[in-house]
Amino acid sequence: MTADVLSVGVLNGPNLDLLGSREKELYGEAGLEGILSELDELGKELDARITAVQSNHEGELADWIRDVGARQDGLLVNAAAYTHTSVAVRDALLAAGVPFVEVHLTNIWAREPFRHHSLLSDIAVGVVSGFGSDSYLLGMRALASHLRPGA
Ligand code: DQA
């Protein structure tokens, strides 16, 4: 049974630590800290507690998924480039067995063909892609509704 206060893990993959300075025309002006503090605020409204990670290393992300992610009620996952390449992140998410929403700042299907395929989408509850930092907020609302059906 899901607790009253939801625990939500937020996974951020490689180069998302550079948000705010990285390809701003694509990813926008907001830094990751700003996005996470907006998520925290939304968490107060939704009765959800956020625990976030950012790593540039695939193994660290797999470890976080099994050690921390597996203990959350749900996850928001922006695996960044690993979305398109990482069987290890996919397998860790499958092993954790925790429902997750895949999020992307950009619309991955409107970009280079190698970004059109995600190794995570078919095991996600859903995907929010293309709304800049709002993708995280929309994903969080969608995840909370999924975890609290009918609430
Ligand atoms: C991204 C899209 C990925 O293709 C890319 O490698 C990223 C960010 C996004 O949020 O739009 O690093 O996940």
Side-chain angles (χ1 to χ4, degrees), residues 9-45:
V10 185
L11 181 147
N12 297 282
N15 301 310
L16 294 176
D17 52 335
L18 297 178
L19 288 178
S21 62
R22 166 194 190 200
E23 297 176 276
K24 287 191 204 175
E25 63 295 347
L26 272 179
Y27 294 112
E29 300 277 337
L32 185 58
E33 274 190 21
I35 294 173
L36 293 176
S37 85
E38 279 193 79
L39 264 185
D40 253 339
E41 282 306 307
L42 180 60
K44 286 176 195 154
E45 183 191 316

Side-chain angles (χ1 to χ4, degrees), residues 12 23 30 37 40 78 85 122 127 143 146:
N12 297 282
E23 297 176 276
S37 85
D40 253 339
N78 185 354
T85 63
D122 64 309
V127 182
L143 181 64
H146 176 80

Side-chain angles (χ1 to χ4, degrees), residues 79-151:
Y82 289 142
T83 305
H84 317 294
T85 63
S86 180
V87 177
V89 168
R90 176 189 173 91
D91 285 351
L93 287 164
L94 282 170
V98 170
F100 73 92
V101 173
E102 176 181 345
V103 299
H104 299 284
L105 296 130
T106 59
N107 176 353
I108 57 173
W109 297 282
R111 298 185 61 190
E112 306 96 315
F114 65 84
R115 294 185 205 273
H116 296 181
H117 183 63
S118 162
L119 288 171
L120 308 180
S121 303
D122 64 309
I123 57 167
V125 174
V127 182
V128 182
S129 184
F131 298 97
S133 56
D134 282 350
S135 291
Y136 281 73
L137 302 174
L138 293 165
M140 173 79 174
R141 286 190 186 279
L143 181 64
S145 302
H146 176 80
L147 294 173
R148 290 193 185 110

